[in-house]
Amino acid sequence: MKYQLIILGAPNKFEQAILDLLFKQVDELGMNCNMLHILKRDNFKNGYHANYPAYCLYMGDINQEADLDILTILKNDATLILPIVSDLTNFDESIPEILKNQNGFKLSNEEEISSLVSCILEGFSLIRTSRRVFISYRRSDSSHVAIQLYEALEKSGFDVFLDTHSIRPGEPFQEELWHRMTDSDIIVLLNTANFLESKWTKQELAKANSLSIGIIQVIWPNLKLIPEAHICKPILLEDKDFDDYTHKKLEESVVKNIISSTEVLRARTLAARQDNLTSEFISFASQSNVEVTLHHDKFISIYKNNEEYIIIPTIGVPKSLSCNNAEELILRIKQKKPKCIYLLYDHVNIRNKWLCHLEWLNQYLPVQSLKLSESLTILGANGE
């Protein structure tokens, strides 16, 4: 699976500079640049995969109406499409009718390229600076491999949770474990012979499924896939994949494969979780007879008295940096500052001390955190 950047519309003089910076930043994120696949009209039919992460740039031009058939496919697949023009005052003349309800991006000089590349990475959900992985395993079966993967993933730029390494003395063990799982992007599950014999590992699997967190299932030799893992990438091991007969350490090539698979599945699971949160909010809005607009940047607008309120579905635990990034993103996209910006999140399994911290931050920050369970109140107050 690859990240698909689709470039359509008119030729653009900044295209190569955009790609050069994009590949540079992808490399800086610790990803293999081969995971990024560039598609245009000539290779779209044979190269496009609807179930892979995708982001489309439509390069506008005066009276431009190119690639309407491909745009229709992408719109039907709910692919994010960013119309790009050199002058926003000519937006309607530069962009096809199918895209005129989208927010456009002004690209008139090289200084604006970095902002555009940021939009692409945000569209792929790759810009979240905390790249969190949770290792689920049975200590008696695979502690040596768990530690090996912990060290390798940390070295590759991930923030890794491993129960023996990541919980400070004095912290409530199970409460912190669920909190960290809720804030994780991916779970690496070590499927060993006795994995499901532990009530704790069974609970971790059930919790991961309830949260729609993707699972890299590393399956020991002669064992089968655990079918209860819903969003799952299996990696079947053989005896030769270990560096000795004790099965205490994986070969380096296998470790690299696990890391690569984690990178690939991460975008899919983040997108799935964000889509679930978005869908729940929109469902609540429908029940309250509140009209909402879902934008291509994955944020939501609601209106009251001709003033706009922005809702940004947020995976895991909102942070003050998340608030700052959200405000910068919205202000970059919107020409008019909205009345308020909310970070929408699901508070289930988040520790009380963090929930209290978020309530405290709400007293001081212009961007507010908002529990999904309380969003009906906001909709009622702001959407009437």
Side-chain angles (χ1 to χ4, degrees):
M1 186 165 69
K2 295 179 181 291
Y3 297 96
Q4 303 171 112
L5 177 64
I6 304 158
I7 302 176
L8 302 175
N12 189 285
K13 64 180 180 180
F14 298 113
E15 180 178 319
Q16 191 57 51
I18 294 168
L19 294 177
D20 289 344
L21 182 58
L22 177 62
F23 278 102
K24 180 177 182 295
Q25 293 199 4
V26 166
D27 182 68
E28 290 172 351
L29 286 170
M31 294 177 54
N32 188 329
C33 289
N34 290 331
M35 293 181 178
L36 189 61
H37 189 31
I38 308 302
L39 295 174
K40 299 184 181 180
R41 66 174 66 93
D42 57 347
N43 64 342
F44 180 87
K45 182 178 179 179
N46 295 324
Y48 175 67
H49 297 272
N51 59 332
Y52 289 5
Y55 194 90
C56 177
L57 304 180
Y58 188 90
M59 304 297 187
D61 197 3
I62 299 298
N63 299 319
Q64 178 67 22
E65 292 284 338
D67 304 316
L68 295 182
D69 54 339
I70 298 177
L71 287 176
T72 301
I73 294 171
L74 297 178
K75 291 279 282 189
N76 290 338
D77 290 341
T79 298
L80 299 177
I81 304 172
L82 180 62
I84 297 173
V85 295
S86 59
D87 185 351
L88 288 174
T89 62
N90 294 324
F91 184 86
D92 286 345
E93 293 78 25
S94 305
I95 296 297
E97 187 67 32
I98 193 173
L99 298 180
K100 286 185 179 177
N101 65 338
Q102 308 284 92
N103 285 320
F105 185 95
K106 175 176 170 290
L107 179 62
S108 59
N109 58 67
E110 292 186 352
E111 294 178 356
E112 293 161 341
I113 291 176
S114 59
S115 295
L116 175 57
V117 170
S118 293
C119 289
I120 298 169
L121 294 175
E122 288 160 1
F124 285 141
S125 298
L126 294 173
I127 280 229
R128 180 176 170 175
T129 55
S130 52
R131 304 163 69 228
R132 294 195 166 98
V133 176
F134 185 105
I135 298 178
S136 179
Y137 71 111
R138 185 77 187 271
R139 286 190 192 179
S140 59
D141 288 354
S142 55
S143 59
H144 288 85
V145 171
I147 293 171
Q148 180 189 13
L149 291 175
Y150 171 86
E151 294 174 347
L153 286 162
E154 285 272 356
K155 188 176 180 181
S156 295
F158 288 95
D159 179 1
V160 187
F161 178 87
L162 183 66
D163 58 354
T164 56
H165 289 57
S166 305
I167 299 181
R168 298 176 62 186
E171 294 282 1
F173 183 88
Q174 204 62 38
E175 186 179 329
E176 179 66 12
L177 186 145
W178 295 141
H179 176 91
R180 291 293 297 271
M181 177 180 282
T182 298
D183 205 27
S184 292
D185 303 338
I186 287 290
I187 292 173
V188 175
L189 185 154
L190 305 186
N191 178 359
T192 53
N194 301 309
F195 180 85
L196 289 179
E197 293 184 9
S198 165
K199 69 175 184 178
W200 302 114
T201 50
K202 285 193 289 187
Q203 286 181 9
E204 288 174 9
L205 177 59
K207 188 75 70 175
N209 286 332
S210 69
L211 294 169
S212 298
I213 302 176
I215 297 174
I216 303 295
Q217 191 173 151
V218 185
I219 306 170
W220 256 236
N222 305 314
L223 297 181
K224 295 182 179 179
L225 176 77
I226 298 174
E228 291 82 1
H230 294 168
I231 304 177
C232 178
K233 160 70 175 176
I235 297 179
L236 298 169
L237 299 179
E238 302 177 13
D239 289 332
K240 66 180 179 62
D241 293 323
F242 296 86
D243 71 347
D244 60 29
Y245 67 92
T246 65
H247 290 181
K248 289 186 176 181
K249 190 174 182 181
L250 294 170
E251 291 285 353
E252 188 62 28
S253 60
V254 179
V255 173
K256 290 181 178 179
N257 182 31
I258 293 171
I259 293 173
S260 175
S261 298
T262 301
E263 292 279 16
V264 170
L265 188 59
R266 180 173 177 260
R268 177 184 168 192
T269 190
L270 285 173
R273 295 179 71 188
Q274 190 172 37
D275 288 346
N276 289 342
L277 193 57
T278 300
S279 296
E280 288 191 64
F281 180 85
I282 292 176
S283 176
F284 287 166
S286 177
Q287 295 170 25
S288 301
N289 295 318
V290 175
E291 185 175 350
V292 303
T293 300
L294 177 61
H295 298 270
H296 63 81
D297 297 276
K298 296 189 176 182
F299 66 89
I300 301 165
S301 295
I302 61 177
Y303 292 88
K304 178 189 175 183
N305 298 328
N306 295 321
E307 290 189 305
E308 185 177 24
Y309 295 77
I310 299 295
I311 311 292
I312 303 177
T314 304
I315 303 306
V317 184
K319 307 289 194 305
S320 58
L321 183 59
S322 304
C323 295
N324 176 249
N325 290 340
E327 184 175 35
E328 289 183 352
L329 172 64
I330 295 302
L331 292 179
R332 186 168 67 239
I333 293 171
K334 292 286 183 179
Q335 296 180 342
K336 179 182 177 182
K337 186 175 181 179
K339 179 70 174 179
C340 190
I341 302 172
Y342 294 101
L343 295 185
L344 181 73
Y345 72 104
D346 190 345
H347 76 286
V348 177
N349 297 313
I350 295 177
R351 292 186 62 181
N352 284 333
K353 71 174 187 178
W354 271 101
L355 296 177
C356 291
H357 176 65
L358 291 172
E359 291 296 326
W360 178 80
L361 284 176
N362 281 347
Q363 301 176 54
Y364 301 99
L365 297 180
V367 176
Q368 306 281 294
S369 59
L370 173 65
K371 296 177 184 176
L372 177 64
S373 60
E374 297 176 354
S375 59
L376 276 175
T377 302
I378 297 299
L379 287 169
N382 296 330
E384 295 176 348

